[in-house]
Amino acid sequence: MPNSAVFMVVVVSNTGDARISFAGMSGVLPLAVVLLAAMAAGIAVTLILGTARLTQLRPLTRKRLR
């Protein structure tokens, strides 16, 4: 079973509420929403850092191939 399917099973099975406090803001959200937001934030951070690292390595690779 792919990871995304396992994640969706976990999200659907966690329908309770979660109290969230971040940067002076607080509130209550469904746990499924919190899990999806955390997944989206993780994907975004990974893409940003991966792109930055590839941008650093590309010129070095071109120099070594010459």
Side-chain angles (χ1 to χ4, degrees):
M1 191 184 299
N3 289 338
S4 58
V6 172
F7 183 77
M8 290 309 294
V9 169
V10 170
V11 167
V12 171
S13 65
N14 288 299
T15 57
D17 287 339
R19 180 158 173 72
I20 306 298
S21 295
F22 179 73
M25 300 178 289
S26 63
V28 177
L29 293 171
L31 187 56
V33 173
V34 174
L35 290 172
L36 288 172
M39 181 188 71
I43 290 171
V45 167
T46 301
L47 287 174
I48 291 167
L49 294 177
T51 301
R53 185 64 180 150
L54 286 175
T55 302
Q56 288 176 341
L57 292 177
R58 220 173 256 147
L60 295 174
T61 305
R62 287 185 183 145
K63 285 180 185 178
R64 288 182 182 169
L65 290 177
R66 289 182 188 177

